[in-house]
Amino acid sequence: MVLALWVGMSVVVLVLVGLFVFGLRRRLIQRSGGTFDCSLRWDVSEEPDPSGKGWVYGVARYSGDRVDWFRVFSYAPRPRRGLERSAIEVIARRLPEGEEELALLSDSVVLGCLHRGTRLELAMSEDALTGFLAWLEAAPPGQRVNVA
């Protein structure tokens, strides 16, 4: 009986510590500012996939001439992807279709992009999209920016 109680309490403590670390990581990512909720689908085909598969929920953070993308449900302190401003080419903009609407946050807009030859999609709110496109267009003089 005492052993079962001790094991149960240990599990509860481990879960609480895990949640605390998870929340602390999110706080550290957002500490420097310039963050927005952004789902990512990497290496997609040219045709939109309305099944909703492949989307990963995350947080993106502006960092100079790049956007660092972090998975939300991860303990990793480093970004999962880094997108350089000069290498991003916006090729499409659309609303979520079919089951995608369930996989993404409400009121998301999907932005089709090319980054160093890899096709990807970013889903973000309309406000975050406005900021993202403004950031792309605010590239230093002499840099190529392709916004559709």
Side-chain angles (χ1 to χ4, degrees):
M1 173 87 173
V2 174
L3 180 62
L5 184 60
W6 185 81
V7 169
M9 291 298 290
S10 297
V11 169
V12 168
V13 168
L14 286 175
V15 168
L16 289 175
V17 167
L19 290 174
F20 175 76
V21 171
F22 186 72
L24 179 64
R25 174 187 172 267
R26 173 89 183 224
R27 204 69 168 136
L28 290 174
I29 291 170
Q30 293 178 326
R31 178 179 60 179
S32 62
T35 62
F36 58 97
D37 292 329
C38 178
S39 296
L40 171 74
R41 186 158 56 172
W42 191 261
D43 203 14
V44 297
S45 66
E46 291 188 26
E47 294 298 317
D49 180 13
S51 69
K53 294 181 181 174
W55 284 107
V56 181
Y57 183 58
V59 174
R61 178 179 67 193
Y62 296 110
S63 180
D65 281 338
R66 59 185 282 133
V67 169
D68 293 326
W69 183 83
F70 300 82
R71 290 180 66 133
V72 166
F73 301 109
S74 172
Y75 290 106
R78 296 183 186 262
R80 181 69 173 244
R81 301 273 184 209
L83 306 173
E84 292 86 19
R85 180 178 5 210
S86 62
I88 299 172
E89 180 180 347
V90 177
I91 55 177
R93 178 181 173 173
R94 64 182 178 82
L95 294 175
E97 303 169 354
E99 293 179 26
E100 257 184 341
E101 293 180 46
L102 302 173
L104 300 173
L105 294 173
S106 62
D107 300 329
S108 288
V109 178
V110 178
L111 198 63
C113 301
L114 281 174
H115 184 263
R116 301 198 186 281
T118 302
R119 188 173 167 84
L120 62 108
E121 290 181 324
L122 301 169
M124 60 191 84
S125 69
E126 192 71 45
D127 291 341
L129 177 64
T130 301
F132 182 77
L133 293 176
W135 174 78
L136 279 177
E137 292 173 356
Q143 283 191 357
R144 175 184 63 96
V145 176
N146 297 314
V147 177

